[in-house]
Every structure is written in C-alpha cells, then in structure tokens.
Amino acid sequence: MSSPEIASLSWGQMKVKGCSTTYKDCKVWPGGSRTWDWRETGTNHSPGVQPADLEEVVKKGVQTVVIGRGMSEALQVPPSTVNYLKKNGIDVLVLQTEKAVAEYNALAAQGVRVGGVFHSTC
C-alpha cells in the first residue's frame, strides 16, 4: 500500500489525493489519512508534537515520518519526539509545512513507506 499524495496545501487547508475531506491539520500514512485533532493528546504549539501524536502513524509500518511545523514554524518538536521515532527505527524530517509536504510527496512518489503529521496554519 502506498502513501497518498498531498494534493494541495494552503493556509488552513490541506487535501489528500483520493480523499474528499479538507483538513486543517492532518495525519497521513500508507493507505490512509485523517484529521489530526490536537485535543486527542492535548497538543499545543509548545511543547509541540508529542510521541502520542505519532503512535498511530508509527503503527502503520512507516520507514520515514515527516513533521510539518506550520507555515511560520510555530509548532515545536521536542527532542523526546524525535528520539521516540529514532528508537523505533524510523527516519524523521522536521520542516516548515510547505517544505514538509514537498518532501513527503517526493518520498511517496519514490515508493517510500512515508507517513506524516502536518500543521497548516501558523
């Protein structure tokens, strides 16, 4: 199963190819995507992305996770989150969201089992 292409990104809106939902923040993995609801894990801009935000994506058997920190990179990614991924043998890229989406799509096009979490505003 391949990772779905992110078809479009603009402030506050993301579309994933093959999915009719428009996301504000989203999680993607080989074969699927869904809304990334920060309330599920109590995520805020600081301290930022928690391992709990990524567990679902990790369980999908990804090789690489791309984290989009927002258009202005307001979303933090603490070292504990990066370490969680590395301990699970997963490569991690932490980038501004537009760059993160471009990198994610490039990896997906190469057939890499890539997942990601993306913040589409600040």
Side-chain angles (χ1 to χ4, degrees):
M1 206 168 297
S2 60
S3 300
E5 177 188 342
I6 296 173
S8 66
L9 168 68
S10 59
W11 185 274
Q13 295 190 332
M14 296 183 71
K15 297 279 289 173
V16 175
K17 195 171 185 175
C19 179
S20 59
T21 305
T22 299
Y23 301 114
K24 176 178 173 267
D25 298 321
C26 76
K27 295 182 179 190
V28 289
W29 58 82
S33 65
R34 77 171 183 93
T35 294
W36 177 19
D37 183 349
W38 290 15
R39 292 172 297 196
E40 291 172 2
T41 55
T43 296
N44 288 297
H45 286 104
S46 182
V49 183
Q50 303 301 303
D53 293 311
L54 299 168
E55 283 174 1
E56 177 180 18
V57 175
V58 167
K59 286 178 183 167
K60 304 291 183 181
V62 296
Q63 298 164 269
T64 303
V65 168
V66 181
I67 300 172
R69 293 189 49 210
M71 300 300 209
S72 306
E73 298 185 85
L75 180 61
Q76 301 301 302
V77 181
S80 58
T81 299
V82 172
N83 291 338
Y84 162 75
L85 292 166
K86 288 183 175 174
K87 270 195 245 174
N88 281 283
I90 297 168
D91 294 328
V92 59
L93 297 167
V94 178
L95 300 164
Q96 185 268 355
T97 296
E98 289 161 310
K99 292 179 177 128
V101 166
E103 191 64 34
Y104 167 89
N105 280 340
L107 290 166
Q110 293 166 26
V112 173
R113 289 185 59 80
V114 61
V117 294
F118 302 95
H119 179 44
S120 72
T121 58
C122 46

